[in-house]
Amino acid sequence: MKRMVQSSVSDLEAQTRDLEHQIHKLERRGFHMTPMEQEQASRLKKLRLANKDRLASLRPE
């Protein structure tokens, strides 16, 4: 079971890093972001926060 949790944590950390990279890439455009890109950045941020919440619940205190 511990190995499965460890794998889940590693997977979530990798997904979170990928989301952060995608967000950063979009935000570099700054004021030049299209409404579609702004919406995508917002969705990515929500996913990143959800991943961080899941990570917090999986990690031992």
Side-chain angles (χ1 to χ4, degrees):
M1 176 71 173
K2 187 173 184 174
R3 176 174 257 172
M4 192 168 110
V5 170
Q6 193 73 18
S7 177
S8 295
V9 169
S10 297
D11 291 343
L12 281 172
E13 287 173 336
Q15 288 175 6
T16 302
R17 282 190 302 273
D18 184 51
L19 289 168
E20 288 172 349
H21 174 73
Q22 290 178 50
I23 292 165
H24 178 71
K25 188 176 173 182
L26 283 170
E27 288 183 337
R28 283 192 315 214
R29 293 183 46 83
F31 293 109
H32 302 290
M33 283 186 2
T34 66
M36 189 178 207
E37 289 171 329
Q38 291 172 359
E39 186 178 318
Q40 182 181 9
S42 179
R43 278 195 313 266
L44 292 171
K45 288 177 183 180
K46 289 176 185 179
L47 287 171
R48 180 185 61 188
L49 287 174
N51 274 4
K52 287 186 175 189
D53 287 344
R54 280 187 250 147
L55 279 169
S57 70
L58 289 173
R59 288 189 176 134
E61 295 193 24

